[in-house]
Structures are given as structure tokens and as C-alpha cells.
Amino acid sequence: LLRLFCLAENIMHKMPHLIFKKFAETTFALLSISDSDLKCTIFQCFRKILQLQPADTTLPATTNILLIDLLRDFASNAMDPSITCPWMEALCESHLCLATKDHAKSMATLKASLKLIFQTFDLGKDFVALTTYKVISRIMEHCVQSDEELANYSIDLCDEALNPRSVAVWRHVLRTETKIFEVCKGAITQEPFGRALKTLAGLRNDVVGAAVRHIGAENVLRVLPLELDAQNVPIVTQFERSWLVPILRINIFNQSIAFALQYFLPLAHRLRREVPSDVVRRKTFITLSDQLWDLLPNLLSSATDFEQNFPHLAQILGKVLLEQRDLRLIVLSSLRSALRYALQPDAAEAKKDVMRFFAYSFLRKLCTLYTVSNITMESMEGITGNSLKTLRCSILETVRMYVELTPNNVIDNFVNLAVEKAQIKDMGLDQKIRVLDIMAALVKKASVSGLSSMFPSIQPWFICSEVALQKKAFRILEEIMKRMNDEAVKDFFACSTDEINNVLDQDLDSIAKSARAALVAVYYVKLSSLTSLKDVESFGKKFLRRIIICLDKSHNIRTRSNALKCFVKLCQQLILSGSDESKSPSTVLHPILNIIFGMLNPERLYPNEDSVEVVRSSTIALNIIAQKFTRILDASLLSRLVAHACSWISDGRPLIRVLIIRLLRMLAKKLPDYTMQQY
């Protein structure tokens, strides 16, 4: 019999109406047999049949309604939990099937079914509650959706399900309520929503967050107001709904800026204005004010009235940025949220125009704050150490983002100002470095005239003995080189090619190790622009030795990472360009290995070169070749690699020997078995 049901579930949805009806009547008659396995199989059979969406000729709407009634009649609180799950799934699928045929009739019959389904939470069984959650989720998504009556009824049923009998499965009840908020957000009216929220407020759980996220903070706060009165100190210090503020911060989306302007920000302002003299209470007031301000970043990431009300908010943000030092990080985070929102691929042009309008005002404030000297920040504003570093990182990140939406004429103005400031001789080193940071951020959108004034101003620092200035100069050059393929500035590169090449050709010893990360990044950009084999080979002869030396452990992680990318890119470019000229990978990589083995020869060391550094970096380069290109090398190059590894395994320097062991291990791992047998 069970096998017959397995067969029926795959074919019955195609049968004529009379056969289907007869099958259903016969099958439901079998439910009187007290066999749990049989009952489960029957319900699973109907679930599968209904999932396959029988046509109207097989299951008309009238028969579907009868089927729903029969399934409902089977419900009982005393039902075996193992049968409850397939029964619920069958009932759910019958409603979904009816909804596709006649949505109105499905809605009319659904109310009674929802009551029965929600009552299964009272069984207190985890696996049953999980199935209930899934079933209700499907019903909400495919049937209820925007039906106001059923959405409200479902919320009330959730409220009823939070009872002592279902304590063990409350988490599933709450998940169900979250799903209802998510799917039916527009259909839930204030009265049932208020009742549900008051219940949830007693539990203080994440479902309130779902209500904030999907139904709106404004609606939630109508039911659960913060009840903060800045003039009533006891209410503030014993703030009973303090738990609600973090929930709002995480979940406040698709809310209007107007609501913040009318509610949160005035309240935060009053709290700061009415700060008591007592230290503990003062801290409470300021913390609450900060928490209210901290709602802004998330709100601005999806504000519904951005174009209309951000201009009003921008004036407040600009003022607070300069005057309230403890709110600066929040204001900067809010600005970045607004910028990300405006920079989304599908963002309306009006949003971008709003941010462009305030670009000059905000950039002027940001650049001023960023370039203030350490002494001034410490003495005037009391910001020191990590706090100052964090603030400056946040400002610079905001500037980099804002440059994307800043008009070109504004960018050029700031470039000229930065160039002028950088030339001031009396300016302290720390200020000059930060001016160069701003300059590097502006490069991304600078015009030909901007780049033409910027590049000559930093040229003296490429050979400067001051490491920090040299590092920043190469960092700016890196950003400039990233625009090599930008048509808007091709005239700059046409005029400045010789000067840039002179910078790249300078001796590696004259470049500080901390500046080499940017130098190698410039090499990478230049290499990426080469297309012919001749140009790539010429590049390799000129710069490969420098790139390999930058692989050494004495350099910082960024330098080594850039050097690795550049080295691999060079090899790949050679192989790719060589294939266009019918040259094998081994042929084009042969000069690379010659240079590496030449560096391993002590007699070929350049003056002032550290032998350990050169040998170590060269061995790292061999390891990279073994890891990336072993399978495409010919026998002569493989023999050379193996011979080198075997001869250097006895090197007395542990730092070198461990790299040789890694090289041998990599060869053993990558070489085919037949090749390994030869060695």
C-alpha cells in the first residue's frame, strides 16, 4: 500500500477529475486506521501531488475547497506530533494550490486553517514548531501578503502562541512573527501591531528589530515611545527603554530623514544641553545623546526622503563636525553612509546632485580638520594618541569617498590649495604628510591641469632623504599611474612620460623600504599597460632585479605582496605575449631564470647589496616559479631548478636552507611521477 502511494504521488496530478476525487475519498477513508506510518504517507502523498499543481481539470477549485475541509477536520490537539508535520504541509500546499486557482476563495478559507496551524506551537515540540514556521512562512509569502485582515489575524495568533504551553518553542514563534512583519509589513494595522509590540517589549528580543526594519521606526515608537525627558533627570538616569536604542540603531532602514530631524536629533540636543553637573549622571546623558546620534549612519544608508531633507541635515552635520569633537566619528560615519547611498549603481542622479552641492563645504571642513597639526589638536581639542589616529583615518576615508562625487572644478581648487600648502617651508612634517595624503585622495578625479601642477610639486621628494615624504610622493605617483588608461588625462601622460620614467629608473638604494610598496605598485600598473613581447622583455631586464629584492622578508607585507603580484604578472605577460609569437613558456621564462640565478652568484652582487637579502629574495622567486609554472617548464629548466636546490640544501644559513627545502617540496609536489623518477 505504501508503495502504491509513492507511485500515486507522481502521477495523480495528471489524472482526470473523477479518478482524483475517487482516489482522495478512498485515501481519506484509510485515515481511520490507527497506523502512524500510513497516515504520514497519505499526507506526504497529498503534499507532493499538490506541490505539482494539478490542473483545473484534475482538481477544480470546489474540490480543492473540499480537500481543505477534509484536512482541517483531521486536526486535533491530541494528534501524534510525527503526523502533525506532514498534515500541516499537506494543508499548506492545498491552500497554495487553491490560491493559484481562485485567490479570493483561498483567502476565505485560510482563516480557519491558520488557527489550527498556529495551535501546533502548543505541542511544545521543536521539530513540529520548525515545520509550523516553514508552513506559515510559505502561506504568508504566497497567500496572505497584502491581505490586511489575515495579516492582522496572523499577528494576533502569534501573540496568542506566546503562552506557557509553547515556552519550549518560543524562538520559533518569534521567528514566525518576524517573517510576518517582513512579508506583510504594509498590511498590518496599528491596533494589532501595538498589541504585539507590547508583548514583545516585555521579552526585549530581536523581533522588535524586525518590526523596526520592516514596518518602520516611526510606527514602533508610536507604540513604544522612548519616554525621555531631558529636564527630568531621574527618568533619564533610570531609562527603562534603553534596550530599544541599540535595536533601533541596527534595524533602522527605509526611514525618513525628517523623522530624525523632528525626533532623534532634537532629543539628543536637549540631552546635551541639560547635562547635570554630577559626573555619573553627566556620563549617562552624554551616552544617550551619542546613541541617538548613532542612529544616523544606518538611517542615511536608505533614507526615503534623501533629496528633500539631506540639505537640512547637512547644515547640522557641518556645524557638529567642527564644534562637537566627541560626535565627529558619528558624523563622519553618517557622511560615508550618505555617500554610499548616493553612489549605489541604481541611485537616482538627484541623490548625487545633492551630495555634489555640498562637496566644497564638506571637503573644506574635512581637509581643515585633517591637516591641523598634532600640537593644535592636543592643546586646543584634547585629542591625542589613538583617538587622533582614528579620527584622521575616518576623515581621510570620508574624503576619498567624497572625491567620487565632487565636481571637477572643486577638485582642481583643492589640488591647487594642496600644492600651495605642500610648498610652505615653515610647515611641520606631520602637517605636510597629511597634505600629501589629501593630494593622493584627490588624484582620482584630478584633471590634466591638476595633475600637471601636482606632479612637479612632488618630484623633489622622490630623491628626498626624508623617508615619510618620499613614501607619500611614491604613493601619489601610484595613484597617478592608476589613471594611465583614463582618456581624460592622456595629455598629462603624453607630456610627463620622461619625468615618470626618470623616477622609475632611479636606483633602488635611494628609495626607502617603506616607499617601495608604492614603487612596485607603479611597476605593476606600467607592466599591465604593455602588450608586445619586446616591451615586456625590456621591462623585465630593467626592473626584475628590483622586484625580486622587494620579495625579501626585510620589507613590509604590502611591499612583498605587491612584489609577488608584479613578479607573477611579469611571468604571465611573457607567456601570453610569447604565445602570440609562437614561443614556448620555457623560452620566454629562460631570461627570468637567468637573472635569478645571476643574483644568486656572489660575484655579481651590486655594491652596497646585502648578500643574505639578495639570496633570500632570489630563492623566494624560485619558489614562486616552482609553485606557479613548474608544469610548463621544459626539461632543461627543471634540471637547472632541481640541481640548484640539491646543491644549496647544504647551505649553512637556516634562513636560506628552509627556503631550499620548500623549493624541493614544491618540486616534488608539482612534478609528474615520471619526471620525479628521473631525479
Side-chain angles (χ1 to χ4, degrees):
L1 187 60
L2 298 180
R3 290 180 180 177
L4 287 174
F5 281 123
C6 290
L7 175 64
E9 69 184 19
N10 292 310
I11 61 172
M12 198 53 64
H13 68 287
K14 296 180 180 178
M15 292 293 144
H17 170 57
L18 290 175
I19 295 177
F20 183 90
K21 189 175 181 182
K22 183 67 176 175
F23 170 78
E25 290 170 351
T26 307
T27 303
F28 273 94
L30 294 173
L31 290 173
S32 59
I33 301 172
S34 58
D35 185 335
S36 297
D37 290 340
L38 177 62
K39 291 176 181 178
C40 283
T41 304
I42 290 171
F43 289 130
Q44 287 169 355
C45 176
F46 274 102
R47 176 180 65 83
K48 183 68 180 293
I49 293 168
L50 294 166
Q51 273 183 338
L52 295 172
Q53 292 291 317
D56 289 350
T57 53
T58 301
L59 181 63
T62 51
T63 308
N64 199 331
I65 293 170
L66 288 173
L67 181 61
I68 290 171
D69 290 337
L70 286 170
L71 287 167
R72 276 206 299 253
D73 291 342
F74 187 78
S76 169
N77 288 333
M79 187 189 296
D80 184 345
S82 63
I83 302 171
T84 302
C85 294
W87 165 76
M88 272 194 295
E89 289 170 340
L91 183 58
C92 169
E93 294 303 329
S94 64
H95 276 289
L96 266 58
C97 189
L98 180 58
T100 60
K101 301 175 189 299
D102 191 329
H103 193 267
K105 289 181 180 178
S106 177
M107 294 297 100
T109 59
L110 188 55
K111 194 170 184 178
S113 298
L114 280 173
K115 178 77 172 175
L116 296 172
I117 292 170
F118 271 94
Q119 283 176 349
T120 59
F121 281 124
D122 292 348
L123 295 173
K125 300 291 184 182
D126 194 75
F127 70 93
V128 175
L130 179 60
T131 303
T132 306
Y133 160 71
K134 291 177 180 177
V135 164
I136 294 171
S137 296
R138 279 179 62 77
I139 290 173
M140 293 298 133
E141 288 171 350
H142 296 91
C143 296
V144 177
Q145 294 176 340
S146 58
D147 188 281
E148 186 176 299
E149 182 185 356
L150 287 174
N152 291 331
Y153 184 61
S154 300
I155 287 292
D156 287 335
L157 288 174
C158 269
D159 211 19
E160 291 175 14
L162 292 169
N163 58 57
R165 294 186 299 278
S166 63
V167 167
V169 295
W170 272 14
R171 63 192 180 93
H172 293 298
V173 179
L174 295 172
R175 281 180 71 195
T176 304
E177 195 157 13
T178 300
K179 190 68 178 180
I180 296 169
F181 284 147
E182 181 183 339
V183 176
C184 308
K185 49 193 170 188
I188 300 170
T189 56
Q190 194 66 29
E191 190 178 342
F193 179 65
R195 288 195 298 269
L197 266 190
K198 285 172 183 174
T199 303
L200 295 170
L203 300 175
R204 300 185 180 184
N205 57 61
D206 292 338
V207 184
V208 178
V212 172
R213 188 163 57 251
H214 299 296
I215 297 177
E218 196 168 354
N219 292 324
V220 170
L221 289 170
R222 282 199 194 101
V223 180
L224 302 174
L226 293 178
E227 296 177 346
L228 271 174
D229 183 0
Q231 294 181 338
N232 192 330
V233 176
I235 286 180
V236 178
T237 53
Q238 298 173 11
F239 182 30
E240 293 183 358
R241 286 191 174 149
S242 58
W243 59 273
L244 186 56
V245 180
I247 289 175
L248 287 170
R249 182 180 63 82
I250 295 169
N251 295 285
I252 191 164
F253 292 104
N254 297 318
Q255 189 64 57
S256 66
I257 295 174
F259 182 54
L261 291 171
Q262 294 162 11
Y263 188 79
F264 293 126
L265 298 187
L267 181 55
H269 176 69
R270 287 197 299 273
L271 285 168
R272 281 186 175 270
R273 190 181 59 200
E274 303 292 339
V275 168
S277 56
D278 176 65
V279 176
V280 175
R281 291 178 177 179
R282 177 186 179 85
K283 190 171 183 180
T284 303
F285 271 66
I286 291 174
T287 300
L288 282 173
S289 175
D290 290 351
Q291 286 180 330
L292 292 172
W293 269 98
D294 208 20
L295 299 174
L296 265 186
N298 262 2
L299 187 147
L300 286 173
S301 67
S302 57
T304 55
D305 58 346
F306 192 87
E307 298 92 326
Q308 295 79 21
N309 284 313
F310 184 79
H312 304 300
L313 180 62
Q315 296 173 18
I316 298 171
L317 294 179
K319 188 176 180 181
V320 171
L321 186 63
L322 294 178
E323 297 176 3
Q324 300 279 349
R325 63 172 181 266
D326 50 342
L327 290 175
R328 280 174 182 161
L329 289 176
I330 295 173
V331 171
L332 292 167
S333 178
S334 302
L335 268 178
R336 290 195 296 275
S337 288
L339 288 164
R340 276 191 287 268
Y341 188 41
L343 285 167
Q344 287 177 347
D346 58 345
E349 196 63 29
K351 291 187 179 73
K352 297 178 182 178
D353 289 339
V354 169
M355 297 308 294
R356 289 189 187 107
F357 181 79
F358 291 99
Y360 177 78
S361 174
F362 276 121
L363 280 180
R364 183 168 55 82
K365 293 179 176 72
L366 292 170
C367 292
T368 302
L369 267 177
Y370 188 74
T371 55
V372 171
S373 68
N374 291 340
I375 296 171
T376 305
M377 292 296 279
E378 290 170 7
S379 60
M380 300 289 290
E381 306 211 14
I383 304 174
T384 59
N386 288 334
S387 298
L388 182 56
K389 186 177 180 181
T390 303
L391 175 63
R392 282 183 173 149
C393 287
S394 184
I395 293 171
L396 188 59
E397 181 63 24
T398 309
V399 170
R400 286 171 179 158
M401 288 187 69
Y402 220 135
V403 164
E404 297 281 349
L405 287 174
T406 304
N408 291 334
N409 62 322
V410 176
I411 291 285
D412 286 343
N413 286 340
F414 278 100
V415 167
N416 293 332
L417 284 171
V419 169
E420 288 175 17
K421 275 198 168 188
Q423 303 304 319
I424 298 173
K425 293 182 180 179
D426 297 334
M427 182 180 284
L429 179 62
D430 66 309
Q431 277 185 283
K432 192 168 285 189
I433 287 169
R434 282 189 291 282
V435 170
L436 295 179
D437 283 336
I438 296 292
M439 204 182 288
L442 295 170
V443 168
K444 192 181 290 186
K445 288 289 293 293
S447 64
V448 172
S449 62
L451 293 179
S452 298
S453 63
M454 190 187 298
F455 186 68
S457 71
I458 63 171
Q459 270 187 294
W461 293 320
F462 289 119
I463 52 174
C464 176
S465 58
E466 183 58 62
V467 173
L469 291 177
Q470 188 184 57
K471 179 182 176 182
K472 295 300 178 185
F474 275 103
R475 180 74 184 87
I476 293 170
L477 179 61
E478 178 188 351
E479 292 298 323
I480 291 173
M481 292 297 288
K482 285 179 181 177
R483 299 188 64 188
M484 273 190 74
N485 297 321
D486 189 346
E487 287 293 320
V489 292
K490 64 179 182 180
D491 292 342
F492 165 77
F493 286 101
C495 299
S496 306
T497 302
D498 292 339
E499 288 84 350
I500 292 173
N501 287 337
N502 289 338
V503 173
L504 298 182
D505 290 343
Q506 72 185 69
D507 191 45
L508 191 64
D509 290 336
S510 66
I511 301 171
K513 287 189 175 181
S514 60
R516 292 179 186 178
L519 173 69
V520 179
V522 172
Y523 289 159
Y524 184 87
V525 175
K526 188 171 180 64
L527 175 61
S528 300
S529 67
L530 304 178
T531 53
S532 69
L533 178 61
K534 184 179 178 181
D535 290 339
V536 178
E537 286 178 336
S538 175
F539 177 91
K541 288 176 184 176
K542 185 182 288 187
F543 299 117
L544 179 60
R545 186 183 184 93
R546 302 179 186 190
I547 294 167
I548 290 172
I549 289 173
C550 289
L551 288 168
D552 186 65
K553 197 176 180 180
S554 60
H555 294 84
N556 60 39
I557 292 174
R558 185 166 178 260
T559 304
R560 300 201 307 268
S561 175
N562 286 352
L564 171 62
K565 284 168 57 181
C566 197
F567 181 75
V568 173
K569 179 71 173 177
L570 175 59
C571 295
Q572 290 172 341
Q573 285 277 81
L574 285 168
I575 293 168
L576 186 63
S577 303
S579 65
D580 294 337
E581 299 185 15
S582 303
K583 291 188 177 182
S584 68
S586 293
T587 303
V588 293
L589 290 178
H590 195 273
I592 300 291
L593 284 165
N594 283 342
I595 292 172
I596 296 172
F597 285 122
M599 292 174 68
L600 289 165
N601 186 345
E603 297 177 0
R604 296 190 186 179
L605 285 177
Y606 290 179
N608 302 322
E609 278 190 335
D610 182 351
S611 61
V612 174
E613 183 179 314
V614 173
V615 170
R616 186 165 55 189
S617 59
S618 303
T619 310
I620 291 170
L622 289 177
N623 271 272
I624 295 167
I625 286 179
Q627 184 178 8
K628 301 284 186 183
F629 307 107
T630 293
R631 297 183 189 278
I632 58 174
L633 296 179
D634 60 20
S636 64
L637 292 182
L638 285 175
S639 298
R640 200 171 176 187
L641 269 177
V642 173
H644 170 78
C646 293
S647 63
W648 280 68
I649 191 70
S650 58
D651 191 281
R653 295 165 291 187
L655 292 173
I656 306 301
R657 193 162 61 242
V658 71
L659 291 171
I660 297 297
I661 292 169
R662 286 179 183 173
L663 176 59
L664 282 169
R665 186 180 66 186
M666 194 58 62
L667 288 168
K669 184 179 179 181
K670 296 284 185 178
L671 287 173
D673 291 341
Y674 68 88
T675 309
M676 278 295 296
Q677 290 172 5
Q678 298 176 18
Y679 299 105

